[in-house]
């Protein structure tokens, strides 16, 4: 299986910690990929506001670039994935649209055939690498760590539909379980984090973030694990605003999925960008250490050591 | 009384029909015994003028094999018509056009270009082409005119009987000869030396159910020699072909190609074969059907291998002197 | 052709249709054109051919000029072919010797110029076809005066009773141990709120009591052979292990049986014994033993309590599955619907939260004969607030795009019943649109709205037990956007009732195949015509009634049951049924048994005789579509009234004006 | 080839099924729509009855175009006749293009009993398209050059 990797803007900017952890973990898992050459912004949430055609042409260009490589196009950003698959879907189902988009791309001397194979990071980890392999590679089991698996909403409609269930995705739970973590029932796993509203309309965004954090506390999670850079950013950066909105103070570690995987693989936190997390994940470290101690003590007790 | 007069003529055909007569072996002597052979260029030296000299309707039986593709054959068709009581289209070429009839996908110019210029073995720098007449010191040399379209004998002159087959099988020829001798020929216009059923009637293979998911060419698979070839995806013209041959091809694991022509109640053999083949494609999804159909590279050649001139459309329509554009076929797919 | 050219005598009749045709087509020119065609004995035109004098004109010519073919150039054959066929018949000319030429709908009405030219082409084509027309005989077969009704729900019950009342034999086949269907599970029925069981049980009893109804419960139709008027049906009778003739329905066996299982009838909310009748008023009131849970059957011979206690000795473990053949003239399929399992939509929490239930479960909870004796409680707790979620799986592209038609109304009914049974209970209706289209529905809606009901317009996103506020603690929270105010709402409740879609039966496909019917896109069985032929099907003599055709409420279902009975009665009362005359037949002299036709017939009318190596067409089953005729590579199958000869002649003549006269085709 | 006079009109043979397309054509009439008179209709009970031979016959007899119209897939009165039609038409198209007959001269359309307007539009479209193509005049093809 050959891959070409599309980081997208956020991962190379505000979500660098995610990017770093993705790179280290995938390298550790032995997944080889090259970065998509000359990739461009997927249009994020704003291109649609400018022009419908643009909002399709931007991702279409990246798809077209990947077609040349004939490799699977992998992205770890849910928004990028959403825009790419959305473009792919609409273009494939509308010949006129395909014509128009290709007319735009022609300016850049490139054409989108519709053969690109788009993959989500989770899809690659779970279905290509495989949960068994992941479990085998665990050197630092997360036993005793209670994690809330937060799937996020914008991936709901499209992403999980590709390799899991739209109604009730479970891939994330299965992955975290493979790491030895204790996945708690997280009622808001598909609720919205406010997306860009946390910046543009904080009054709307903050309470939503608050709800997610409250829910995590209510189910006694040690941390929230996300699969989306923007969710990670929101849940990390706006805990104070959320606290104010809910009349409380939050200090809930929020980790990107590959960050937690890295810890389970015993990779140094720095290589996972954990030092960049706005909310320091120290409680998580402690819990993991404790878990490790407990298990070794147990081992001693049972005299197997 | 004098012996009945027999004439055999060889027009546009491979000569296999002549062999079919020779394959009567010992019986050929009876033929020679029974008949007074007045024309058989393949075997003995006859001159056209001898035939021309004969009074009209003086030949009792004329076995005319081969299609009509040039002016000489047309002349002889008319001549023998005039001289014969019973003119018989002998063999598939005379009956439905046969393999020479496949030339109707092209025309004189295209064929000449191919034959006199293009074939790898040709070296004809001067671009010499056959001339209808050519002056040499000794006098004028002439050649018959090569037509654009191959026609069946019946398309040129009225014909009493048709004996299909490429070539007609020995037993059937014997039977016909016998019938002639005993004066037991059926009403003029009928096909003799064949059955009123189809090749399937002679085929002993086991038939189960006809649902085709993909067609194969004979070399692509090793068919089960006990089961119907069509059911195994190998196109067999047997169901749309008049029987009487005894299905020799099927007995050697090869499909019928349809040389005995259309069954009695069929207007256009190719059209019927096409309809039958399409009907048993086991899919309702246009894309899937398209895929299955694409496994038949040459529909025309498959449906009209032996009968293009006798078919409803008779020949291919050409724009100028080019074969039908490939893209036409492509667009057909696209639609 | 039997006749030689000169004794074919064709009469051509051109209709003016007032000015409808004559206004655009030069009818005189057309008539003289027709007159010049070969074999045409006479050509006339008249103001209205379909009028009495017009018909008389044709009749007179047939008799006096000895016409043996008639061509009428007028309106569409779909309009007046029957009329002119009758004219021919009256004049002792076979009605199939008539050919209609459509020069109105497809000529004079649609063309400004060129109409006359086209009319000529059409007429010459009709004449050429007429030349080859053959007399056909209309065949009739006798109808077996008995009806099979499949499914013992209200639709089947209603149909069976009506047919039996008319004095005809009815076989009523029901898969379950008792008839009654879904309706007998319901509590009250909207909008009148009368008790479902109270109105249905008398009918069930009537079925049992009726001498002309042979009731076969715990049985299934496994095979259907034959054709309209003459079906031969094979029915599998599953072993009951109780002798119906001996059992008195005293119930002692059920009392004594120590083994329990979840009650299907109570949607698993209650339990029943291993030997059981689904419910007290079951018809027949004879229990069945469920082999799954009967220890006597599972552990050879252990237990046997029922054996011991049954005084009549009706228990019979030696019973085996039986196959029964019946012959009927008509079949009424009333196999009903399945209720969708909403656990597929996991965000609504069904099966995750015990107090999220389906509408049918609620019916049982509400019902006096139900597991809670009619008290609306879950684990003994009575809900003070209830959310009713509409359109669960209906009007939803992910599941079923159609509307299930009854949910709005029973949701209102639920609200009313809850209000009646639980003092001060709050009920929330989460709806997309309120569809109250039936008689008395709107009034019921008004009434229910005036009671303690809150309407929230929107499709809930989630039902969760996660409390965000103290008052949500320990409750189910329905998360939804109230689309009328454009705000998300969180409604804490004690109980959530889902209104799942009515689905085609899980085995609808097999049923369709067994009765040779087709399914519409939504999976329900397909009627012949959505408006004008609602219970007939493409398979003559087989009718579909009730929810097997699509979601319906009780009144509509009953009406269809009666419609099915009327159709069946019309068939068997007449006693004879006319079969398609323009069928296909195999010319055996030409058939070489290639078998290409066999798999093509949509009516399985073609059978193959391995002994004769020939195909045969059962002309009673043949509908004359001609698919086999076109396919037969030997030209051995002839399609009556649309023979190759007729059509090829028609085509050639249709184009006669397009090619030089010298060109023969 | 015959040179079309500028007032030349193409002739198209339409094979219509009795239950959908033919009724659709009738509806176009009862709704008094006006369309080109070039299409001449042959009624068959089902498009499944249409033997490719009929189409070949039409072209041989002088048709400039042929159209086959029946019930929409899934709506066939005989439940699946039109699917067989798709199969035959697909294969026949390949043959016709090999025969040198432009695929546009042979069309398959689905017209329901309710689609009178669609029928009128198809008739107009096809007449115009074939008028642009010029005559097929098959007998010319068979004339000896």
């Amino acid at each position: 299986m050959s891959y070409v990797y599309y980081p997208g803007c956020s991962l190379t900017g505000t979500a660098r910690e995610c990017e770093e952890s993705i790179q280290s973990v995938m390298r550790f898992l032995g997944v080889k990929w090259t970065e998509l050459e000359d990739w461009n912004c997927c249009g994020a949430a704003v291109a649609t506001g400018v022009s419908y055609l643009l909002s399709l042409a931007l991702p279409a260009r990246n798809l077209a670039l990947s077609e040349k490589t004939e490799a699977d196009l992998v992205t770890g950003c849910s928004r990028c994935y959403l825009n790419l698959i959305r473009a792919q879907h609409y273009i494939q189902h509308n010949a006129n649209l395909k014509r128009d988009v290709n007319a735009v791309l022609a300016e850049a001397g490139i054409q989108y055939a519709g053969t690109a194979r788009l993959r989500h990071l989770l899809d690659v980890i779970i279905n290509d690498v495989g949960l068994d392999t992941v479990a085998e590679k665990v050197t630092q089991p997360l036993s005793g760590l209670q994690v809330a698996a937060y799937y996020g909403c914008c991936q709901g409609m499209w992403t999980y539909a590709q390799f899991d269930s739209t109604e009730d995705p479970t891939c994330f739970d299965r992955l975290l379980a493979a790491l030895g973590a204790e996945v708690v029932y997280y009622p808001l796993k598909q609720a919205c984090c406010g997306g860009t509203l946390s910046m543009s309309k904080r009054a709307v965004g903050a309470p939503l973030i608050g709800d997610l954090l409250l829910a995590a506390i209510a189910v006694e999670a040690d941390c929230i694990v996300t699969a989306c850079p923007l969710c990670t950013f929101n849940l990390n950066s706006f805990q104070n605003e959320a606290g104010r909105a809910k009349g409380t103070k939050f200090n809930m570690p929020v980790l990107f999925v590959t960050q937690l995987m890295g810890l389970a693989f015993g990779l140094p936190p720095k290589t996972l960008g954990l030092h960049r997390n706005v909310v320091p994940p120290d409680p998580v470290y402690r819990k993991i250490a404790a878990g490790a101690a407990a298990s070794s003590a147990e081992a001693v007790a049972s005299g197997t050591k | 009384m004098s012996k009945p007069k027999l004439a055999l003529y060889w027009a546009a055909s491979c000569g296999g029909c002549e062999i079919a007569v020779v394959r009567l072996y010992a019986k050929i002597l009876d033929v020679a015994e029974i008949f007074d052979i007045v024309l058989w260029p393949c075997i003995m030296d006859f001159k056209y003028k001898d035939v021309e000299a004969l009074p009209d309707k003086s030949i009792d039986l004329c076995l005319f094999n081969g299609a009509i593709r040039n002016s000489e054959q047309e002349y002889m068709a008319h001549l023998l018509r005039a001289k014969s009581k019973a003119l018989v289209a002998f063999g598939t070429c005379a009956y439905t056009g046969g393999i020479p009839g496949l030339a109707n996908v092209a025309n004189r110019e295209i064929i000449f270009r191919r034959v006199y210029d293009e074939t790898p073995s040709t070296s004809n720098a001067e671009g010499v082409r056959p001339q209808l007449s050519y002056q040499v010191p000794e006098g004028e040399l002439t050649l018959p005119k090569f037509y654009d379209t191959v026609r069946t004998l019946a398309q040129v002159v009225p014909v009493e009987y048709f004996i299909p087959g490429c070539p007609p099988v020995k037993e059937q020829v014997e039977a016909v000869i016998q019938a002639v001798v005993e004066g037991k020929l059926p009403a003029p216009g009928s096909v003799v030396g064949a059955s009123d059923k189809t090749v399937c009637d002679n085929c002993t293979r086991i038939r189960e159910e006809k649902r085709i998911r993909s067609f194969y060419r004979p070399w692509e698979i090793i068919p089960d020699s006990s089961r119907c070839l069509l059911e195994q995806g190998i196109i067999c013209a047997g169901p749309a072909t008049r029987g009487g041959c005894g299905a020799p091809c099927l007995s050697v694991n090869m499909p019928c190609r349809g040389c005995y022509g259309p069954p009695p109640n069929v207007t256009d053999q190719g059209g019927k074969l096409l309809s039958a083949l399409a009907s048993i494609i086991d899919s309702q999804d246009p894309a899937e059907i398209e895929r299955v159909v694409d496994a038949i590279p040459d529909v025309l050649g498959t449906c009209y291998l032996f009968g293009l001139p006798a078919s409803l459309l008779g020949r291919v329509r050409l724009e100028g002197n080019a074969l039908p554009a490939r893209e036409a076929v492509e667009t057909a797919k696209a639609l | 052709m039997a006749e030689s050219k000169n004794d074919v005598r064709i009469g051509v009749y051109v209709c003016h249709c007032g000015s409808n045709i004559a206004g655009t087509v030069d009818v005189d020119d057309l008539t003289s054109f027709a007159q010049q065609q070969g074999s045409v004995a006479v050509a006339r035109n008249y103001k209205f051919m379909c009028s009495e004098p017009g018909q008389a004109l044709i009749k007179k010519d047939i008799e006096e000029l000895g016409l043996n073919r008639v061509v009428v150039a007028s309106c569409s054959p779909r309009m007046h072919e029957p009329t002119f066929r009758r004219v021919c018949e009256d004049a002792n000319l076979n009605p199939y010797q008539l050919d209609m030429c459509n020069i109105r709908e497809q000529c004079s009405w649609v063309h400004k110029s060129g109409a006359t030219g086209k009319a000529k082409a059409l007429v010459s084509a009709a004449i050429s076809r007429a030349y080859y027309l053959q007399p056909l005989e209309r065949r009739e077969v006798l109808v077996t005066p008995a009806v099979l009704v499949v499914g013992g729900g209200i639709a089947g019950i209603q149909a069976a009773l009506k047919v039996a009342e008319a004095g005809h034999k009815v076989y009523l086949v029901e898969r379950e141990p008792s008839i009654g269907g879904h309706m007998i599970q319901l509590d009250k029925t909207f909008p009148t709120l009368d008790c479902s069981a109270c109105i249905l049980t008398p009918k069930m009893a009537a079925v049992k009591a009726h001498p002309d109804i042979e009731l076969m419960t715990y049985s299934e139709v496994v095979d259907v052979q034959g054709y309209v008027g003459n079906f031969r049906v094979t029915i599998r009778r599953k072993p009951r292990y109780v002798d119906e003739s001996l059992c008195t329905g005293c119930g002692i066996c059920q009392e004594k049986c120590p083994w329990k299982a979840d009650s299907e009838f109570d949607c698993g909310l209650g339990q029943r014994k291993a030997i059981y009748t689904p419910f007290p008023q079951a018809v027949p009131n004879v229990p069945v033993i469920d082999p799954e849970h009967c220890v006597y059957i599972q552990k050879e011979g252990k237990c046997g309590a029922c054996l011991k206690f049954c005084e009549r000795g009706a228990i019979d473990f030696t019973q085996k599955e039986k196959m029964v053949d019946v012959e009927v003239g008509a079949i009424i399929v009333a196999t009903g619907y399945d209720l969708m399992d909403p656990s597929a939509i996991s965000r609504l929490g069904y099966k995750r939260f015990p107090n999220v239930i389906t509408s049918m479960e609620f019916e049982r909870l509400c019902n006096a004969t139900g597991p809670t004796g009619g008290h609306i409680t879950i684990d003994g707790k009575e809900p003070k607030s209830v959310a009713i979620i509409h359109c669960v799986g209906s009007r939803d592209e992910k599941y079923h795009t159609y509307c299930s038609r009854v949910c709005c109304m029973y949701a209102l009914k639920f609200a009313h019943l809850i209000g009646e049974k639980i003092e001060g209970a709050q009920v929330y209706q989460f709806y997309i649109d309120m569809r109250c289209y039936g008689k008395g529905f709107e009034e019921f809606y008004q009434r229910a709205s005036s009671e303690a009901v809150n309407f929230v317009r929107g499709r809930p996103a989630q039902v969760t037990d996660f409390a965000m506020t103290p008052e949500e603690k320990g409750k189910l929270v329905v998360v939804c956007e109230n689309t009328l105010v454009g705000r998300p709402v969180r409604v804490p409740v004690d109980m959530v009732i889902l209104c799942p879609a009515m689905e085609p039966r899980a085995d609808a496909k097999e049923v369709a195949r067994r009765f040779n019917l087709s399914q519409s896109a939504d999976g329900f069985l397909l009627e012949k015509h959505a408006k004008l032929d609602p219970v007939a099907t493409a398979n003559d003599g087989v009718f579909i009634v009730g929810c097997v055709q699509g979601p319906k409420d009780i009144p509509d279902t009953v009406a269809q049951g009666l419609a099915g009975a009327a159709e069946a009665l019309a068939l068997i009362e007449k006693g004879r049924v006319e079969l398609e005359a323009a069928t296909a037949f195999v010319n055996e002299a030409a058939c070489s048994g290639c078998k290409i036709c066999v798999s093509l017939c949509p009516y399985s009318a073609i059978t193959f005789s391995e002994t004769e190596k020939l195909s045969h067409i059962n002309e009673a089953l043949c509908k004359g579509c001609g698919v086999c005729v076109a396919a037969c590579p030997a030209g051995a199958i002839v399609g009556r009234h649309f023979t190759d000869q007729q059509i090829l002649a028609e085509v050639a003549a249709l184009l006669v004006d397009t090619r030089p006269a010298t060109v023969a085709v | 080839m015959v040179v079309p006079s500028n007032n030349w009109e193409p002739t198209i043979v339409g094979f219509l099924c009795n239950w959908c397309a033919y009724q659709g054509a009738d509806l176009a009439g009862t709704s008094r729509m006006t369309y080109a008179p070039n299409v001449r209709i042959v009624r068959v009970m089902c498009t499944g009855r249409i033997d490719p031979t009929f189409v070949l016959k039409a072209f041989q007899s002088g048709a400039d175009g042929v159209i086959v119209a029946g019930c929409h897939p899934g709506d066939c009165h005989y439940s699946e006749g039109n699917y067989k039609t798709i199969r035959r038409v697909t294969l026949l198209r390949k043959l016709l293009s090999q025969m040198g007959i432009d695929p546009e001269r042979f069309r398959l359309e689905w017209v329901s009993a309710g689609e009178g307007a669609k029928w009128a539009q198809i008739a107009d479209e096809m007449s115009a398209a074939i008028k642009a193509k010029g005559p097929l005049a098959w007998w010319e093809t068979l004339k000896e050059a």
Side-chain angles (χ1 to χ4, degrees), chain C residues 156-206:
Chain C
I157 289 173
Q158 199 60 257
L161 284 172
K162 214 30 107 184
V163 174
E165 278 169 32
H168 292 290
K169 176 79 179 173
V170 178
Y171 301 95
L172 177 55
V173 176
E174 167 58 50
R175 181 187 292 179
E176 298 299 324
S178 167
I179 57 171
H182 283 106
M183 182 176 169
I184 197 66
Q185 289 178 277
L186 305 181
D187 182 35
K188 303 270 188 297
T189 57
F190 63 79
T192 47
L193 293 178
D194 36 11
C195 145
S196 186
C198 314
I199 56 176
L200 182 53
T201 43
K203 287 188 177 294
M204 291 161 64

Side-chain angles (χ1 to χ4, degrees), chain C residues 218-232:
Chain C
Y218 215 47
S219 308
E220 286 178 282
V221 172
V222 290
D223 186 42
V224 178
Q225 294 295 330
Y227 49 89
V228 55
N230 300 271
F231 293 105
R232 158 170 258 277

Side-chain angles (χ1 to χ4, degrees), chain A residues 52 116 233:
Chain A
Y52 180 62
F233 174 79

